[in-house]
Amino acid sequence: MASSDDNTEFMIDMLRECGLAHKTIIFVLEEFDLFAQGKQRLLYSLLDAMQSLTSQAIVIGVSCRLDADQLLEKRVRSRFSHRKLIFLPSSVDSLQRLMEHLLMLPEDSHLPTKYVMEYNARVTSIFSDKKFKGILNSLTDSDATTSHILRFLFRVVSYMDMDSGLLSMQSFMNALSSMRRQPKMDSLQDLSILELYILVCMHRLEDKEHSSYNFTTIMKEYKSVQDAYRTSDNYSHTVCFRAFEHLLDRELISFADKKGKALEYRPVKLLISSHELAQSLKLNTTCPAVLQKLLDRERYM
Amino acid sequence: MSQTVTPRRTTRSSASALSSVPAAPKYRPKPSPRRQLLVTAAAGPKDYDSVGELLDALPCRRAQAMDLIRLLVPAPALPLMLYGGAATGKTRTLLLALTNLRPSQRLVYASLRSLPSPRALFASLLSQLGATSSSTFSRQRLPEKPSDFISALRNALTGIVSQGEVVYLVFDNLDVVRSWDKGDQLLTLLFRLHDLLQLPQVVLVYVSSATPDAYYSMTGSVEPNYVYFSDYTVDEARDILIRGHPNPKLYSSFLSVALKPLFRVTRRVDELSAVLEPLFNRYSEPLGDLKAVSDEGIKRRLFEHVQPHLAVALSETFSVPMRASMHEIKDSGSAGKGSAKRQLGGREGLSTELEFHMSMSAKYLLLSAFLSSRNPATLDAALFDSTGGSDNRKRKRKSSQASLDMKDTMAEEMLMKGPGTFPLERLLAIFQCITSVSEDKHEVECADNKEPESGMTDLMSDVLLQLSTLCNSNFLSKSRSCPLESSARYRSNIDEDLALKVARSVSFPLSKYMYRR
């Protein structure tokens, strides 16, 4: 493997040769902000090599970050021409035009003409529908990038009616709802009753202004709740610890320190908000009423 | 290309889509592969059968299987991510769907849990694609850096794709990559594969137990489509557990009493089936003939028979069946030095005895470690005087409010901090004290016993060996050594219940020595 000095020398020589032969070289650097990490030796040597008179080269950097040019070192920035082209995300109208363009079938396709006409007519009627405007607005409210729209269109087409081969407003609505999942709420709905108890106990400890708590303090709270309410859900230490580990796996709670003592003594914290917890208890049909009461009590106390 | 579209700024994706329209439209012909599927389906019922078979083989996963079919089967497909909890059937559903519905495809499967490093991942993928077929080059050509890997992968895939096959790259257990060294780089690389390869006939599928928000990154890669695998409800779990059972009627009556209480503890079907199996054996014990039709009276009798075992099963996480030799060992007493032989025993009820076998010196060592962790060092002089025991433990206690509050806060602190550390010398000192006491007691009790009592005093070398055994079995753990003294400090990991059991087995009055706040 050649050293970087050899490579730089080679590059300077090549640039000179190409310049003499009147050939222009274009360097395109994708993810330019990643090149600007560290010492920026590549950028410096590249831009420096272009300073010589005989070279005809241009460096184009492409990046997602708007401040990519601010990341450059002083010596590199002085060799930079400070020309920036900013690509803004498209407006809603242009997105709609893009969608029409992508979804319409061309007239000269190899599919039967009758089908093509029926399909295009259906798509046009959907686009002029007011509900569609609503769907497009809610899509672009969260993310107006083209890739998001393309994913949405992929889903729409996957919901195509298999018998007729036509799209319908229902496919658009299904696609929209499938794009809008809330993973944490879904996880909360999948918990067992004991795991919900542990979460509620942690929430109570946080409400009682405990700055840090671990599994043994949570167990103490759990036992006090069981003593107060005498529910049928009084389980042993090992079973509760297994439920605790399940919660850690699902990343609804996590440890607050890097690496420490035994699992039972390391401080933990909740990764869900109290609003999400309250909502999930409401949505859970099998949740015992005492859990709701425990959560609400804390609010009003 | 329609020129009636008003000029707008061309973003990357739209430029690629527009430019590829005449040649091989990438995002356009969603209708055509569907149309083809429809045509072939209309031609022969084979496709319908395989869908039906697939849904039969995947109980209670109908919605997810339909989602997968919908999103995966057309060949130029966007990447897909399946996520959900453990034991929800993600890998199984995916592999069944791919092998059943699209036999003319190549499946390249990499389970990241069984691969130790990025290099192993690269090697596994390339070998599955048949790229490293020539043995002479196999060692040198294994790519180390991601750039080499991408070019090797692209070469391998182009070769396969040009023959008209579709390749599915499946990355299973993606969440373990986050804990790897340089795992972030690998994750961004994997998510950018779709952009980097630019091969429409290659479909990427990711399977992960972590939710998608664990993978959001700063680089602009194509985000995959998500399919969520929820956990099973009680009814779905019951259906899954009954499937394939040789005795469905009896089992379903058993499940109707046993499943609901266990379901409140855990919803994972693998844990439930592990617990339910021995319980079912207990349930069907009174029945002579398993095939007999059970009426209400029999059902009630069986339920009463299994109920105590159910209560036990709810309070433990696993049970290992007892071995017959355990009885003999228990009868012969626990005297005698021996290596610390361990045997896990199942519990008929919540027993108060120690379930495994330890040598005497190990037990005493464990007790001394427990006491050293639990008691503050200042108490040692009071507790372990020259007679080796403490007679007057009654201390005058102030019961004012301030001292009670202080006790509460100190109890809280102890819960938070866990067991304390102690140096080796303190452990050995307490060990000496305790064993000298017990020796006196044993000499008094077994004076006429012919069996020679094992000499406790000359155990020094063995004690250190026992200590290392206890450390390896995680009864003790080694802490950071104090920087001033540079001696090793240890910490005991056992809780009070186990210590009491051990003390009871050697008749040691542990409660007299424990410091109670």
Side-chain angles (χ1 to χ4, degrees):
Chain A
M1 297 294 282
S3 74
S4 65
D5 287 336
D6 292 340
N7 281 332
T8 324
E9 226 178 272
F10 170 74
M11 203 162 56
I12 296 178
D13 290 339
M14 285 308 295
L15 281 175
R16 189 175 47 235
E17 289 299 321
C18 292
L20 289 174
H22 297 292
K23 286 205 185 301
T24 322
I25 305 185
I26 304 178
F27 291 96
V28 177
L29 299 175
E30 289 232 7
E31 305 291 343
F32 187 68
D33 44 301
L34 294 179
F35 282 107
Q37 285 172 1
K39 284 194 61 162
Q40 303 180 10
R41 262 201 332 199
L42 171 70
L43 285 180
Y44 176 67
S45 45
L46 192 55
L47 290 175
D48 201 30
M50 289 186 354
Q51 295 291 317
S52 59
L53 288 170
T54 52
S55 64
Q56 282 183 320
I58 180 170
V59 173
I60 302 179
V62 183
S63 167
C64 296
R65 289 180 65 159
L66 291 175
D67 62 340
D69 57 336
Q70 308 294 325
L71 298 169
L72 298 174
E73 280 177 12
K74 214 163 50 131
R75 59 180 182 164
V76 179
R77 197 176 318 149
S78 60
R79 289 170 171 77
F80 173 54
S81 73
H82 294 279
R83 281 183 291 183
K84 261 195 335 190
L85 287 174
I86 302 186
F87 286 71
L88 292 172
S90 328
S91 66
V92 178
D93 291 329
S94 42
L95 282 176
Q96 178 157 354
R97 281 200 298 266
L98 174 67
M99 283 171 76
E100 283 172 24
H101 178 81
L102 286 174
L103 279 184
M104 302 280 230
L105 288 174
E107 267 93 36
D108 54 351
S109 78
H110 57 277
L111 298 168
T113 330
K114 189 160 161 299
Y115 168 71
V116 170
M117 279 175 32
E118 203 182 334
Y119 176 84
N120 281 348
R122 179 68 79 90
V123 168
T124 328
S125 72
I126 292 178
F127 280 147
S128 46
D129 195 340
K130 217 194 305 191
K131 258 200 264 181
F132 174 74
K133 288 266 184 303
I135 292 177
L136 193 59
N137 281 338
S138 55
L139 260 187
T140 49
D141 275 345
S142 62
D143 190 354
T145 53
T146 326
S147 61
H148 187 71
I149 300 293
L150 286 173
R151 257 173 63 220
F152 173 68
L153 287 181
F154 186 87
R155 284 258 186 191
V156 166
V157 174
S158 74
Y159 278 109
M160 177 191 280
D161 181 22
M162 291 306 289
D163 298 322
S164 61
L166 300 174
L167 296 176
S168 67
M169 183 56 80
Q170 192 56 41
S171 14
F172 280 83
M173 311 272 282
N174 289 346
L176 184 67
S177 64
S178 67
M179 301 269 288
R180 289 172 138 196
R181 299 222 67 128
Q182 291 187 307
K184 283 271 191 303
M185 292 300 294
D186 292 333
S187 294
L188 280 171
Q189 290 303 308
D190 280 346
L191 293 181
S192 67
I193 307 286
L194 177 59
E195 289 158 7
L196 284 174
Y197 262 101
I198 294 183
L199 283 180
V200 169
C201 288
M202 286 174 81
H203 186 258
R204 281 169 70 95
L205 287 173
E206 284 199 349
D207 262 353
K208 287 183 190 168
E209 311 265 334
H210 283 232
S211 55
S212 71
Y213 47 90
N214 58 18
F215 179 66
T216 41
T217 27
I218 296 172
M219 273 296 106
K220 190 159 147 257
E221 178 71 23
Y222 176 71
K223 289 285 181 243
S224 70
V225 162
Q226 296 299 328
D227 291 335
Y229 288 92
R230 300 254 176 247
T231 63
S232 60
D233 286 310
N234 199 352
Y235 300 110
S236 68
H237 192 95
T238 41
V239 175
C240 293
F241 191 62
R242 183 178 65 175
F244 183 73
E245 285 183 330
H246 284 175
L247 286 173
L248 282 169
D249 286 336
R250 284 189 191 271
E251 297 187 351
L252 292 170
I253 63 180
S254 81
F255 289 120
D257 62 349
K258 277 275 178 177
K259 230 195 197 275
K261 327 164 243 199
L263 284 182
E264 294 146 321
Y265 293 101
R266 282 175 70 181
V268 291
K269 59 181 187 220
L270 274 174
L271 291 179
I272 50 173
S273 66
S274 57
H275 173 75
E276 284 173 333
L277 186 57
Q279 186 130 17
S280 72
L281 286 181
K282 275 202 202 73
L283 291 173
N284 195 333
T285 47
T286 56
C287 161
V290 73
L291 276 180
Q292 280 279 17
K293 214 170 18 165
L294 283 171
L295 204 61
D296 289 335
R297 270 282 183 90
E298 285 306 317
R299 294 274 185 83
Y300 297 121
M301 247 156 86
Chain B
M1 208 159 77
S2 45
Q3 292 298 328
T4 52
V5 177
T6 51
R8 57 187 183 279
R9 289 195 202 90
T10 45
T11 57
R12 255 190 294 170
S13 328
S14 67
S16 63
L18 293 174
S19 62
S20 56
V21 152
K26 221 164 40 152
Y27 295 107
R28 215 163 238 231
K30 286 301 163 290
S32 12
R34 293 275 171 192
R35 211 71 200 149
Q36 281 168 12
L37 200 64
L38 213 57
V39 164
T40 50
K46 203 168 76 125
D47 276 16
Y48 283 171
D49 270 355
S50 59
V51 171
E53 274 166 21
L54 178 68
L55 292 176
D56 278 337
L58 296 167
C60 311
R61 278 285 167 238
R62 191 194 165 81
Q64 284 84 2
M66 296 305 290
D67 258 346
L68 275 183
I69 297 172
R70 209 179 280 131
L71 291 171
L72 270 186
V73 173
L78 289 179
L80 184 65
M81 177 183 276
L82 282 66
Y83 69 98
T88 42
K90 302 184 288 286
T91 314
R92 182 153 183 265
T93 313
L94 175 69
L95 292 178
L96 274 181
L98 284 179
T99 45
N100 274 6
L101 287 182
R102 197 132 172 155
S104 72
Q105 36 90 49
R106 281 283 282 270
L107 178 62
V108 176
Y109 177 80
S111 167
L112 290 158
R113 206 192 285 276
S114 55
L115 294 167
S117 68
R119 195 158 170 259
L121 170 68
F122 300 157
S124 157
L125 287 178
L126 287 174
S127 67
Q128 282 185 62
L129 286 170
T132 55
S133 46
S134 60
S135 53
T136 49
F137 290 110
S138 55
R139 203 66 208 156
Q140 293 105 310
R141 277 172 59 177
L142 276 183
E144 294 257 0
K145 297 194 291 195
S147 47
D148 302 334
F149 167 63
I150 294 292
S151 43
L153 186 64
R154 193 184 288 130
N155 289 343
L157 285 172
T158 330
I160 298 178
V161 157
S162 56
Q163 291 162 15
E165 282 185 35
V166 178
V167 183
Y168 287 88
L169 289 177
V170 179
F171 296 95
D172 204 352
N173 303 125
L174 202 60
D175 41 298
V176 304
V177 179
R178 294 179 296 163
S179 54
W180 280 4
D181 204 22
K182 289 200 190 159
D184 297 333
Q185 279 182 20
L186 184 64
L187 271 180
T188 45
L189 175 71
L190 289 178
F191 280 113
R192 296 223 64 181
L193 269 181
H194 183 86
D195 281 336
L196 291 171
L197 289 177
Q198 296 283 336
L199 290 169
Q201 301 290 95
V202 174
V203 184
L204 296 160
V205 187
Y206 310 101
V207 182
S208 132
S209 347
T211 50
D213 37 352
Y215 301 111
Y216 291 155
S217 71
M218 293 272 287
T219 57
S221 52
V222 173
E223 228 181 295
N225 282 316
Y226 298 115
V227 180
Y228 176 61
F229 279 70
S230 57
D231 276 51
Y232 300 108
T233 62
V234 176
D235 304 316
E236 288 174 345
R238 184 179 28 241
D239 289 337
I240 292 176
L241 289 167
I242 288 188
R243 263 173 93 89
H245 200 265
N247 203 347
K249 275 179 120 61
L250 189 63
Y251 200 62
S252 72
S253 62
F254 163 66
L255 283 182
S256 56
V257 301
L259 187 59
K260 273 222 164 69
L262 287 172
F263 208 69
R264 288 171 84 89
V265 173
T266 173
R267 281 172 74 160
R268 280 174 59 163
V269 180
D270 49 349
E271 291 175 356
L272 284 173
S273 65
V275 168
L276 284 171
E277 207 182 295
L279 274 181
F280 180 63
N281 294 339
R282 288 247 171 262
Y283 182 78
S284 46
E285 257 173 9
L287 272 188
D289 176 20
L290 284 178
K291 297 285 181 191
V293 174
S294 46
D295 60 349
E296 283 305 314
I298 298 182
K299 276 191 196 158
R300 210 173 309 126
R301 203 161 53 90
L302 292 174
F303 171 60
E304 281 160 14
H305 179 79
V306 86
Q307 197 168 18
H309 302 290
L310 189 61
V312 170
L314 278 174
S315 58
E316 60 185 24
T317 46
F318 65 90
S319 76
V320 177
M322 276 169 68
R323 282 191 238 166
S325 53
M326 268 289 285
H327 296 289
E328 291 121 72
I329 294 175
K330 269 195 169 146
D331 292 342
S332 68
S334 55
K337 255 181 359 180
S339 52
K341 215 168 18 141
R342 281 193 68 177
Q343 284 179 16
L344 286 171
R347 297 188 251 187
E348 297 295 339
L350 293 166
S351 78
T352 52
E353 294 197 2
L354 202 57
E355 294 123 6
F356 51 88
H357 195 255
M358 280 170 80
S359 62
M360 287 283 270
S361 56
K363 283 184 189 168
Y364 278 110
L365 203 58
L366 196 58
L367 287 174
S368 355
F370 176 71
L371 285 173
S372 324
S373 255
R374 175 101 175 205
N375 300 346
T378 47
L379 271 187
D380 288 350
L383 283 179
F384 303 105
D385 54 3
S386 53
T387 62
S390 76
D391 301 307
N392 43 350
R393 277 203 73 239
K394 282 269 180 264
R395 264 171 275 132
K396 287 194 260 310
R397 287 205 174 108
K398 277 191 293 204
S399 54
S400 68
Q401 188 61 30
S403 66
L404 281 176
D405 287 340
M406 211 175 67
K407 273 194 209 152
D408 281 341
T409 43
M410 278 165 64
E412 285 280 333
E413 254 185 56
M414 186 162 130
L415 274 184
M416 276 303 293
K417 274 197 307 195
T421 59
F422 50 85
L424 187 59
E425 292 85 15
R426 186 171 164 220
L427 172 68
L428 292 176
I430 297 184
F431 178 68
Q432 286 272 6
C433 271
I434 296 181
T435 49
S436 63
V437 168
S438 321
E439 237 187 24
D440 297 335
K441 270 208 223 136
H442 270 266
E443 275 171 13
V444 167
E445 286 169 6
C446 322
D448 49 351
N449 199 345
K450 285 209 195 97
E451 215 174 280
E453 190 54 52
S454 45
M456 293 288 186
T457 44
D458 52 4
L459 275 180
M460 236 7 181
S461 59
D462 280 348
V463 162
L464 293 178
L465 286 176
Q466 294 281 10
L467 190 66
S468 70
T469 315
L470 288 177
C471 282
N472 287 341
S473 330
N474 217 25
F475 286 115
L476 299 182
S477 54
K478 208 162 166 194
S479 290
R480 283 193 304 260
S481 45
C482 172
L484 290 175
E485 296 170 41
S486 76
S487 64
R489 290 186 80 92
Y490 296 87
R491 189 200 294 267
S492 107
N493 281 339
I494 62 176
D495 57 348
E496 199 173 317
D497 291 329
L498 186 60
L500 284 172
K501 281 188 201 169
V502 171
R504 212 173 290 133
S505 68
V506 292
S507 330
F508 178 72
L510 184 65
S511 40
K512 276 206 308 184
Y513 290 87
M514 277 204 300
Y515 175 62
R516 294 196 190 282
R517 293 172 200 278

